[in-house]
Amino acid sequence: MQIADPRSLSAYRFTCIQFIIHLMKSLEYEIQLEYIRASGPGGQNVNKVATAVQLRFDVMNSPSLTTDVKTRLVKLAGKRMTDAGVLVIEASKFRTQEKNREDAIARLSELVRKASEKPKLRHKTKPTKASKEERLKGKKKRSEVKKNRGKFPANE
């Protein structure tokens, strides 16, 4: 196993972060934020102030994303995706509107980052001869155990 050079790894991470920042700046104009009343912590304030954030992002009509990223994003989003192809993220973890907005945008950027990574292709492999023999040996042993069940001579 080869250990990667830490400098190249950090450079890769820096490049990924730069890409995400650039992507989020371009997506900024495509994001719609709506502030709604949240349940949860906040005391009496929760009934008066709209602190929860509902972020909407039209994935299917976004010019910033490639078709591959769009399809992976739809798959990753799951039930957060509407039939019209709009991604809806609700954030109400915090008591302030600012933190909830930051949380929603961070969750969107994480989803986009995951969707922009190409999945590794699986290469088909055959089982080795040793593993086949090991499996057959286990099957043989188990069959012997089953075959010898209930075959005890009667004591008179």
mmCIF file of all heavy atoms in Angstrom, residues 9-55:
data_model
loop_
_atom_site.group_PDB
_atom_site.id
_atom_site.type_symbol
_atom_site.label_atom_id
_atom_site.label_comp_id
_atom_site.label_asym_id
_atom_site.label_seq_id
_atom_site.Cartn_x
_atom_site.Cartn_y
_atom_site.Cartn_z
ATOM 1 N N LEU A 9 -2.029 15.740 -0.950
ATOM 2 C CA LEU A 9 -3.369 15.516 -0.420
ATOM 3 C C LEU A 9 -3.997 16.840 0.009
ATOM 4 O O LEU A 9 -5.153 17.111 -0.300
ATOM 5 C CB LEU A 9 -3.312 14.539 0.761
ATOM 6 C CG LEU A 9 -4.631 14.000 1.269
ATOM 7 C CD1 LEU A 9 -5.331 13.231 0.165
ATOM 8 C CD2 LEU A 9 -4.402 13.094 2.451
ATOM 9 N N SER A 10 -3.223 17.679 0.691
ATOM 10 C CA SER A 10 -3.763 18.968 1.119
ATOM 11 C C SER A 10 -4.014 19.872 -0.084
ATOM 12 O O SER A 10 -4.970 20.639 -0.099
ATOM 13 C CB SER A 10 -2.830 19.654 2.116
ATOM 14 O OG SER A 10 -1.602 19.961 1.501
ATOM 15 N N ALA A 11 -3.172 19.770 -1.109
ATOM 16 C CA ALA A 11 -3.385 20.554 -2.329
ATOM 17 C C ALA A 11 -4.671 20.109 -3.011
ATOM 18 O O ALA A 11 -5.439 20.932 -3.510
ATOM 19 C CB ALA A 11 -2.201 20.404 -3.270
ATOM 20 N N TYR A 12 -4.915 18.787 -3.007
ATOM 21 C CA TYR A 12 -6.151 18.255 -3.595
ATOM 22 C C TYR A 12 -7.367 18.778 -2.841
ATOM 23 O O TYR A 12 -8.338 19.204 -3.436
ATOM 24 C CB TYR A 12 -6.125 16.730 -3.582
ATOM 25 C CG TYR A 12 -7.426 16.089 -3.955
ATOM 26 C CD1 TYR A 12 -7.853 16.075 -5.276
ATOM 27 C CD2 TYR A 12 -8.252 15.522 -2.993
ATOM 28 C CE1 TYR A 12 -9.060 15.505 -5.634
ATOM 29 C CE2 TYR A 12 -9.455 14.941 -3.332
ATOM 30 C CZ TYR A 12 -9.850 14.937 -4.656
ATOM 31 O OH TYR A 12 -11.049 14.381 -4.994
ATOM 32 N N ARG A 13 -7.283 18.732 -1.494
ATOM 33 C CA ARG A 13 -8.402 19.233 -0.684
ATOM 34 C C ARG A 13 -8.622 20.714 -0.930
ATOM 35 O O ARG A 13 -9.749 21.172 -1.028
ATOM 36 C CB ARG A 13 -8.129 18.983 0.799
ATOM 37 C CG ARG A 13 -8.294 17.550 1.204
ATOM 38 C CD ARG A 13 -8.115 17.374 2.683
ATOM 39 N NE ARG A 13 -8.222 15.979 3.044
ATOM 40 C CZ ARG A 13 -7.508 15.390 3.971
ATOM 41 N NH1 ARG A 13 -6.638 16.080 4.670
ATOM 42 N NH2 ARG A 13 -7.657 14.113 4.244
ATOM 43 N N PHE A 14 -7.532 21.479 -1.029
ATOM 44 C CA PHE A 14 -7.639 22.914 -1.275
ATOM 45 C C PHE A 14 -8.314 23.169 -2.617
ATOM 46 O O PHE A 14 -9.174 24.031 -2.725
ATOM 47 C CB PHE A 14 -6.247 23.556 -1.237
ATOM 48 C CG PHE A 14 -6.274 25.044 -1.445
ATOM 49 C CD1 PHE A 14 -6.750 25.880 -0.452
ATOM 50 C CD2 PHE A 14 -5.831 25.598 -2.636
ATOM 51 C CE1 PHE A 14 -6.784 27.249 -0.632
ATOM 52 C CE2 PHE A 14 -5.864 26.961 -2.831
ATOM 53 C CZ PHE A 14 -6.336 27.793 -1.820
ATOM 54 N N THR A 15 -7.943 22.378 -3.638
ATOM 55 C CA THR A 15 -8.550 22.522 -4.958
ATOM 56 C C THR A 15 -10.040 22.198 -4.894
ATOM 57 O O THR A 15 -10.850 22.892 -5.509
ATOM 58 C CB THR A 15 -7.858 21.594 -5.978
ATOM 59 O OG1 THR A 15 -6.457 21.753 -5.857
ATOM 60 C CG2 THR A 15 -8.280 21.918 -7.386
ATOM 61 N N CYS A 16 -10.410 21.157 -4.160
ATOM 62 C CA CYS A 16 -11.814 20.790 -3.999
ATOM 63 C C CYS A 16 -12.583 21.910 -3.305
ATOM 64 O O CYS A 16 -13.693 22.244 -3.703
ATOM 65 C CB CYS A 16 -11.960 19.500 -3.195
ATOM 66 S SG CYS A 16 -11.467 18.049 -4.113
ATOM 67 N N ILE A 17 -11.976 22.489 -2.268
ATOM 68 C CA ILE A 17 -12.631 23.572 -1.544
ATOM 69 C C ILE A 17 -12.814 24.777 -2.453
ATOM 70 O O ILE A 17 -13.871 25.401 -2.461
ATOM 71 C CB ILE A 17 -11.825 23.934 -0.270
ATOM 72 C CG1 ILE A 17 -11.927 22.787 0.737
ATOM 73 C CG2 ILE A 17 -12.321 25.233 0.353
ATOM 74 C CD1 ILE A 17 -10.989 22.891 1.905
ATOM 75 N N GLN A 18 -11.776 25.092 -3.249
ATOM 76 C CA GLN A 18 -11.893 26.201 -4.200
ATOM 77 C C GLN A 18 -13.029 25.943 -5.187
ATOM 78 O O GLN A 18 -13.804 26.842 -5.505
ATOM 79 C CB GLN A 18 -10.587 26.379 -4.976
ATOM 80 C CG GLN A 18 -9.526 27.121 -4.225
ATOM 81 C CD GLN A 18 -8.291 27.302 -5.081
ATOM 82 O OE1 GLN A 18 -7.952 26.437 -5.882
ATOM 83 N NE2 GLN A 18 -7.621 28.426 -4.900
ATOM 84 N N PHE A 19 -13.116 24.713 -5.678
ATOM 85 C CA PHE A 19 -14.166 24.345 -6.627
ATOM 86 C C PHE A 19 -15.542 24.539 -5.997
ATOM 87 O O PHE A 19 -16.449 25.098 -6.608
ATOM 88 C CB PHE A 19 -13.979 22.898 -7.085
ATOM 89 C CG PHE A 19 -15.155 22.344 -7.831
ATOM 90 C CD1 PHE A 19 -15.425 22.748 -9.124
ATOM 91 C CD2 PHE A 19 -16.004 21.424 -7.238
ATOM 92 C CE1 PHE A 19 -16.511 22.257 -9.819
ATOM 93 C CE2 PHE A 19 -17.093 20.916 -7.920
ATOM 94 C CZ PHE A 19 -17.337 21.339 -9.209
ATOM 95 N N ILE A 20 -15.689 24.083 -4.756
ATOM 96 C CA ILE A 20 -16.977 24.190 -4.068
ATOM 97 C C ILE A 20 -17.340 25.659 -3.841
ATOM 98 O O ILE A 20 -18.488 26.056 -4.045
ATOM 99 C CB ILE A 20 -16.960 23.397 -2.744
ATOM 100 C CG1 ILE A 20 -16.894 21.899 -3.049
ATOM 101 C CG2 ILE A 20 -18.170 23.720 -1.886
ATOM 102 C CD1 ILE A 20 -16.580 21.042 -1.868
ATOM 103 N N ILE A 21 -16.346 26.475 -3.448
ATOM 104 C CA ILE A 21 -16.613 27.897 -3.232
ATOM 105 C C ILE A 21 -17.052 28.545 -4.535
ATOM 106 O O ILE A 21 -18.026 29.308 -4.574
ATOM 107 C CB ILE A 21 -15.365 28.599 -2.646
ATOM 108 C CG1 ILE A 21 -15.135 28.136 -1.205
ATOM 109 C CG2 ILE A 21 -15.510 30.114 -2.710
ATOM 110 C CD1 ILE A 21 -13.811 28.551 -0.615
ATOM 111 N N HIS A 22 -16.354 28.234 -5.624
ATOM 112 C CA HIS A 22 -16.718 28.782 -6.932
ATOM 113 C C HIS A 22 -18.125 28.334 -7.335
ATOM 114 O O HIS A 22 -18.932 29.128 -7.819
ATOM 115 C CB HIS A 22 -15.698 28.345 -7.983
ATOM 116 C CG HIS A 22 -16.078 28.692 -9.384
ATOM 117 N ND1 HIS A 22 -16.061 29.981 -9.854
ATOM 118 C CD2 HIS A 22 -16.526 27.922 -10.405
ATOM 119 C CE1 HIS A 22 -16.466 29.999 -11.111
ATOM 120 N NE2 HIS A 22 -16.753 28.757 -11.463
ATOM 121 N N LEU A 23 -18.404 27.053 -7.119
ATOM 122 C CA LEU A 23 -19.712 26.513 -7.473
ATOM 123 C C LEU A 23 -20.814 27.170 -6.648
ATOM 124 O O LEU A 23 -21.855 27.544 -7.173
ATOM 125 C CB LEU A 23 -19.729 25.001 -7.276
ATOM 126 C CG LEU A 23 -20.969 24.262 -7.728
ATOM 127 C CD1 LEU A 23 -21.134 24.408 -9.240
ATOM 128 C CD2 LEU A 23 -20.881 22.801 -7.362
ATOM 129 N N MET A 24 -20.568 27.333 -5.342
ATOM 130 C CA MET A 24 -21.585 27.927 -4.479
ATOM 131 C C MET A 24 -21.836 29.393 -4.852
ATOM 132 O O MET A 24 -22.959 29.864 -4.765
ATOM 133 C CB MET A 24 -21.191 27.811 -3.003
ATOM 134 C CG MET A 24 -21.279 26.391 -2.467
ATOM 135 S SD MET A 24 -22.804 25.514 -2.884
ATOM 136 C CE MET A 24 -23.991 26.447 -1.981
ATOM 137 N N LYS A 25 -20.784 30.110 -5.285
ATOM 138 C CA LYS A 25 -20.982 31.494 -5.721
ATOM 139 C C LYS A 25 -21.854 31.545 -6.965
ATOM 140 O O LYS A 25 -22.700 32.420 -7.106
ATOM 141 C CB LYS A 25 -19.633 32.166 -5.987
ATOM 142 C CG LYS A 25 -18.924 32.580 -4.721
ATOM 143 C CD LYS A 25 -17.631 33.286 -5.019
ATOM 144 C CE LYS A 25 -16.926 33.656 -3.732
ATOM 145 N NZ LYS A 25 -15.615 34.271 -3.998
ATOM 146 N N SER A 26 -21.653 30.578 -7.867
ATOM 147 C CA SER A 26 -22.482 30.559 -9.071
ATOM 148 C C SER A 26 -23.901 30.077 -8.768
ATOM 149 O O SER A 26 -24.855 30.485 -9.423
ATOM 150 C CB SER A 26 -21.846 29.678 -10.149
ATOM 151 O OG SER A 26 -21.778 28.346 -9.725
ATOM 152 N N LEU A 27 -24.051 29.237 -7.754
ATOM 153 C CA LEU A 27 -25.384 28.748 -7.378
ATOM 154 C C LEU A 27 -26.153 29.763 -6.530
ATOM 155 O O LEU A 27 -27.368 29.642 -6.382
ATOM 156 C CB LEU A 27 -25.270 27.434 -6.593
ATOM 157 C CG LEU A 27 -24.717 26.221 -7.316
ATOM 158 C CD1 LEU A 27 -24.671 25.033 -6.369
ATOM 159 C CD2 LEU A 27 -25.541 25.882 -8.528
ATOM 160 N N GLU A 28 -25.438 30.746 -5.986
ATOM 161 C CA GLU A 28 -26.051 31.724 -5.096
ATOM 162 C C GLU A 28 -27.271 32.399 -5.724
ATOM 163 O O GLU A 28 -28.262 32.669 -5.051
ATOM 164 C CB GLU A 28 -25.004 32.775 -4.731
ATOM 165 C CG GLU A 28 -25.372 33.677 -3.590
ATOM 166 C CD GLU A 28 -24.211 34.571 -3.221
ATOM 167 O OE1 GLU A 28 -23.129 34.051 -2.915
ATOM 168 O OE2 GLU A 28 -24.408 35.798 -3.255
ATOM 169 N N TYR A 29 -27.212 32.656 -7.022
ATOM 170 C CA TYR A 29 -28.312 33.328 -7.706
ATOM 171 C C TYR A 29 -29.460 32.369 -8.020
ATOM 172 O O TYR A 29 -30.550 32.806 -8.346
ATOM 173 C CB TYR A 29 -27.804 33.992 -8.989
ATOM 174 C CG TYR A 29 -26.709 34.980 -8.706
ATOM 175 C CD1 TYR A 29 -25.385 34.680 -8.971
ATOM 176 C CD2 TYR A 29 -27.012 36.212 -8.123
ATOM 177 C CE1 TYR A 29 -24.378 35.591 -8.685
ATOM 178 C CE2 TYR A 29 -26.016 37.123 -7.840
ATOM 179 C CZ TYR A 29 -24.695 36.811 -8.122
ATOM 180 O OH TYR A 29 -23.699 37.702 -7.827
ATOM 181 N N GLU A 30 -29.204 31.074 -7.918
ATOM 182 C CA GLU A 30 -30.231 30.073 -8.224
ATOM 183 C C GLU A 30 -30.948 29.575 -6.970
ATOM 184 O O GLU A 30 -31.888 28.813 -7.059
ATOM 185 C CB GLU A 30 -29.584 28.895 -8.946
ATOM 186 C CG GLU A 30 -28.909 29.287 -10.241
ATOM 187 C CD GLU A 30 -28.154 28.131 -10.861
ATOM 188 O OE1 GLU A 30 -28.668 27.004 -10.817
ATOM 189 O OE2 GLU A 30 -27.059 28.360 -11.386
ATOM 190 N N ILE A 31 -30.477 29.998 -5.802
ATOM 191 C CA ILE A 31 -31.048 29.550 -4.530
ATOM 192 C C ILE A 31 -32.146 30.512 -4.091
ATOM 193 O O ILE A 31 -31.986 31.717 -4.161
ATOM 194 C CB ILE A 31 -29.954 29.489 -3.441
ATOM 195 C CG1 ILE A 31 -28.924 28.413 -3.776
ATOM 196 C CG2 ILE A 31 -30.566 29.226 -2.081
ATOM 197 C CD1 ILE A 31 -27.732 28.420 -2.848
ATOM 198 N N GLN A 32 -33.258 29.955 -3.630
ATOM 199 C CA GLN A 32 -34.342 30.758 -3.060
ATOM 200 C C GLN A 32 -34.445 30.397 -1.586
ATOM 201 O O GLN A 32 -34.565 29.220 -1.239
ATOM 202 C CB GLN A 32 -35.666 30.457 -3.750
ATOM 203 C CG GLN A 32 -35.696 30.834 -5.200
ATOM 204 C CD GLN A 32 -36.985 30.364 -5.864
ATOM 205 O OE1 GLN A 32 -37.679 29.504 -5.349
ATOM 206 N NE2 GLN A 32 -37.275 30.934 -7.017
ATOM 207 N N LEU A 33 -34.389 31.409 -0.728
ATOM 208 C CA LEU A 33 -34.508 31.196 0.706
ATOM 209 C C LEU A 33 -35.843 31.751 1.186
ATOM 210 O O LEU A 33 -36.222 32.867 0.839
ATOM 211 C CB LEU A 33 -33.365 31.890 1.445
ATOM 212 C CG LEU A 33 -31.971 31.341 1.173
ATOM 213 C CD1 LEU A 33 -30.924 32.231 1.801
ATOM 214 C CD2 LEU A 33 -31.834 29.932 1.704
ATOM 215 N N GLU A 34 -36.539 30.946 1.976
ATOM 216 C CA GLU A 34 -37.815 31.366 2.549
ATOM 217 C C GLU A 34 -37.728 31.135 4.048
ATOM 218 O O GLU A 34 -37.252 30.081 4.499
ATOM 219 C CB GLU A 34 -38.952 30.531 1.949
ATOM 220 C CG GLU A 34 -40.325 31.014 2.306
ATOM 221 C CD GLU A 34 -41.394 30.177 1.627
ATOM 222 O OE1 GLU A 34 -41.145 29.649 0.530
ATOM 223 O OE2 GLU A 34 -42.478 30.059 2.212
ATOM 224 N N TYR A 35 -38.162 32.102 4.824
ATOM 225 C CA TYR A 35 -38.075 32.002 6.277
ATOM 226 C C TYR A 35 -39.453 31.681 6.829
ATOM 227 O O TYR A 35 -40.438 32.341 6.518
ATOM 228 C CB TYR A 35 -37.525 33.310 6.859
ATOM 229 C CG TYR A 35 -36.157 33.601 6.304
ATOM 230 C CD1 TYR A 35 -35.976 34.492 5.255
ATOM 231 C CD2 TYR A 35 -35.046 32.934 6.789
ATOM 232 C CE1 TYR A 35 -34.727 34.738 4.725
ATOM 233 C CE2 TYR A 35 -33.787 33.163 6.262
ATOM 234 C CZ TYR A 35 -33.635 34.067 5.226
ATOM 235 O OH TYR A 35 -32.397 34.279 4.707
ATOM 236 N N ILE A 36 -39.484 30.624 7.651
ATOM 237 C CA ILE A 36 -40.749 30.145 8.198
ATOM 238 C C ILE A 36 -40.622 29.989 9.709
ATOM 239 O O ILE A 36 -39.507 29.969 10.246
ATOM 240 C CB ILE A 36 -41.157 28.793 7.560
ATOM 241 C CG1 ILE A 36 -40.025 27.767 7.690
ATOM 242 C CG2 ILE A 36 -41.537 28.971 6.112
ATOM 243 C CD1 ILE A 36 -40.342 26.397 7.176
ATOM 244 N N ARG A 37 -41.735 29.874 10.386
ATOM 245 C CA ARG A 37 -41.694 29.655 11.828
ATOM 246 C C ARG A 37 -41.275 28.224 12.119
ATOM 247 O O ARG A 37 -41.722 27.289 11.462
ATOM 248 C CB ARG A 37 -43.062 29.923 12.447
ATOM 249 C CG ARG A 37 -43.390 31.394 12.460
ATOM 250 C CD ARG A 37 -44.651 31.640 13.226
ATOM 251 N NE ARG A 37 -44.951 33.070 13.181
ATOM 252 C CZ ARG A 37 -46.149 33.561 13.276
ATOM 253 N NH1 ARG A 37 -47.185 32.753 13.400
ATOM 254 N NH2 ARG A 37 -46.339 34.852 13.244
ATOM 255 N N ALA A 38 -40.437 28.089 13.113
ATOM 256 C CA ALA A 38 -39.890 26.773 13.433
ATOM 257 C C ALA A 38 -40.470 26.249 14.728
ATOM 258 O O ALA A 38 -40.841 27.011 15.618
ATOM 259 C CB ALA A 38 -38.380 26.864 13.566
ATOM 260 N N SER A 39 -40.528 24.936 14.832
ATOM 261 C CA SER A 39 -40.865 24.323 16.106
ATOM 262 C C SER A 39 -39.552 24.070 16.830
ATOM 263 O O SER A 39 -38.484 24.178 16.242
ATOM 264 C CB SER A 39 -41.608 23.014 15.877
ATOM 265 O OG SER A 39 -40.772 22.124 15.169
ATOM 266 N N GLY A 40 -39.601 23.747 18.084
ATOM 267 C CA GLY A 40 -38.380 23.432 18.800
ATOM 268 C C GLY A 40 -37.927 24.554 19.708
ATOM 269 O O GLY A 40 -38.738 25.352 20.172
ATOM 270 N N PRO A 41 -36.605 24.646 19.984
ATOM 271 C CA PRO A 41 -36.106 25.600 20.963
ATOM 272 C C PRO A 41 -36.360 27.040 20.544
ATOM 273 O O PRO A 41 -36.359 27.366 19.375
ATOM 274 C CB PRO A 41 -34.621 25.298 21.034
ATOM 275 C CG PRO A 41 -34.285 24.625 19.770
ATOM 276 C CD PRO A 41 -35.525 23.891 19.365
ATOM 277 N N GLY A 42 -36.573 27.892 21.517
ATOM 278 C CA GLY A 42 -36.791 29.299 21.218
ATOM 279 C C GLY A 42 -37.761 29.948 22.186
ATOM 280 O O GLY A 42 -37.923 31.153 22.207
ATOM 281 N N GLY A 43 -38.435 29.149 22.985
ATOM 282 C CA GLY A 43 -39.361 29.690 23.984
ATOM 283 C C GLY A 43 -40.515 30.430 23.335
ATOM 284 O O GLY A 43 -41.035 30.023 22.302
ATOM 285 N N GLN A 44 -40.896 31.560 23.930
ATOM 286 C CA GLN A 44 -41.999 32.350 23.393
ATOM 287 C C GLN A 44 -41.630 32.974 22.055
ATOM 288 O O GLN A 44 -42.490 33.288 21.238
ATOM 289 C CB GLN A 44 -42.393 33.438 24.390
ATOM 290 C CG GLN A 44 -42.970 32.881 25.665
ATOM 291 C CD GLN A 44 -43.206 33.963 26.690
ATOM 292 O OE1 GLN A 44 -42.747 35.084 26.551
ATOM 293 N NE2 GLN A 44 -43.932 33.615 27.744
ATOM 294 N N ASN A 45 -40.339 33.164 21.856
ATOM 295 C CA ASN A 45 -39.837 33.777 20.626
ATOM 296 C C ASN A 45 -40.194 32.951 19.393
ATOM 297 O O ASN A 45 -40.354 33.489 18.303
ATOM 298 C CB ASN A 45 -38.319 33.921 20.742
ATOM 299 C CG ASN A 45 -37.749 34.875 19.728
ATOM 300 O OD1 ASN A 45 -38.322 35.917 19.467
ATOM 301 N ND2 ASN A 45 -36.626 34.508 19.161
ATOM 302 N N VAL A 46 -40.337 31.634 19.567
ATOM 303 C CA VAL A 46 -40.571 30.732 18.444
ATOM 304 C C VAL A 46 -41.897 31.029 17.747
ATOM 305 O O VAL A 46 -42.047 30.793 16.554
ATOM 306 C CB VAL A 46 -40.470 29.255 18.895
ATOM 307 C CG1 VAL A 46 -41.723 28.806 19.592
ATOM 308 C CG2 VAL A 46 -40.159 28.342 17.753
ATOM 309 N N ASN A 47 -42.854 31.573 18.472
ATOM 310 C CA ASN A 47 -44.158 31.872 17.882
ATOM 311 C C ASN A 47 -44.199 33.227 17.170
ATOM 312 O O ASN A 47 -45.148 33.519 16.459
ATOM 313 C CB ASN A 47 -45.242 31.848 18.968
ATOM 314 C CG ASN A 47 -45.351 30.481 19.596
ATOM 315 O OD1 ASN A 47 -45.200 29.478 18.905
ATOM 316 N ND2 ASN A 47 -45.591 30.437 20.889
ATOM 317 N N LYS A 48 -43.187 34.065 17.410
ATOM 318 C CA LYS A 48 -43.193 35.413 16.858
ATOM 319 C C LYS A 48 -42.259 35.599 15.667
ATOM 320 O O LYS A 48 -42.546 36.384 14.780
ATOM 321 C CB LYS A 48 -42.786 36.419 17.953
ATOM 322 C CG LYS A 48 -43.754 36.477 19.103
ATOM 323 C CD LYS A 48 -43.356 37.551 20.089
ATOM 324 C CE LYS A 48 -42.184 37.084 20.932
ATOM 325 N NZ LYS A 48 -41.801 38.018 21.971
ATOM 326 N N VAL A 49 -41.139 34.904 15.671
ATOM 327 C CA VAL A 49 -40.096 35.151 14.672
ATOM 328 C C VAL A 49 -39.924 33.935 13.766
ATOM 329 O O VAL A 49 -39.906 32.803 14.239
ATOM 330 C CB VAL A 49 -38.750 35.461 15.373
ATOM 331 C CG1 VAL A 49 -37.682 35.792 14.353
ATOM 332 C CG2 VAL A 49 -38.908 36.601 16.354
ATOM 333 N N ALA A 50 -39.786 34.199 12.477
ATOM 334 C CA ALA A 50 -39.567 33.124 11.504
ATOM 335 C C ALA A 50 -38.075 32.843 11.436
ATOM 336 O O ALA A 50 -37.334 33.512 10.718
ATOM 337 C CB ALA A 50 -40.106 33.537 10.143
ATOM 338 N N THR A 51 -37.610 31.848 12.214
ATOM 339 C CA THR A 51 -36.175 31.559 12.259
ATOM 340 C C THR A 51 -35.787 30.382 11.372
ATOM 341 O O THR A 51 -34.636 30.261 10.985
ATOM 342 C CB THR A 51 -35.729 31.253 13.704
ATOM 343 O OG1 THR A 51 -36.524 30.188 14.205
ATOM 344 C CG2 THR A 51 -35.848 32.474 14.578
ATOM 345 N N ALA A 52 -36.708 29.504 11.078
ATOM 346 C CA ALA A 52 -36.378 28.343 10.245
ATOM 347 C C ALA A 52 -36.214 28.785 8.794
ATOM 348 O O ALA A 52 -36.836 29.746 8.346
ATOM 349 C CB ALA A 52 -37.457 27.286 10.346
ATOM 350 N N VAL A 53 -35.351 28.071 8.080
ATOM 351 C CA VAL A 53 -35.071 28.414 6.687
ATOM 352 C C VAL A 53 -35.475 27.253 5.796
ATOM 353 O O VAL A 53 -35.190 26.089 6.094
ATOM 354 C CB VAL A 53 -33.569 28.719 6.491
ATOM 355 C CG1 VAL A 53 -33.252 28.971 5.038
ATOM 356 C CG2 VAL A 53 -33.146 29.882 7.335
ATOM 357 N N GLN A 54 -36.141 27.593 4.712
ATOM 358 C CA GLN A 54 -36.486 26.605 3.696
ATOM 359 C C GLN A 54 -35.750 27.026 2.421
ATOM 360 O O GLN A 54 -36.074 28.041 1.821
ATOM 361 C CB GLN A 54 -37.994 26.567 3.483
ATOM 362 C CG GLN A 54 -38.444 25.363 2.699
ATOM 363 C CD GLN A 54 -39.951 25.315 2.611
ATOM 364 O OE1 GLN A 54 -40.575 26.254 2.154
ATOM 365 N NE2 GLN A 54 -40.529 24.206 3.054
ATOM 366 N N LEU A 55 -34.740 26.245 2.054
ATOM 367 C CA LEU A 55 -33.934 26.548 0.883
ATOM 368 C C LEU A 55 -34.480 25.758 -0.301
ATOM 369 O O LEU A 55 -34.729 24.558 -0.181
ATOM 370 C CB LEU A 55 -32.484 26.149 1.159
ATOM 371 C CG LEU A 55 -31.460 26.390 0.079
ATOM 372 C CD1 LEU A 55 -30.137 26.779 0.715
ATOM 373 C CD2 LEU A 55 -31.254 25.176 -0.787
#
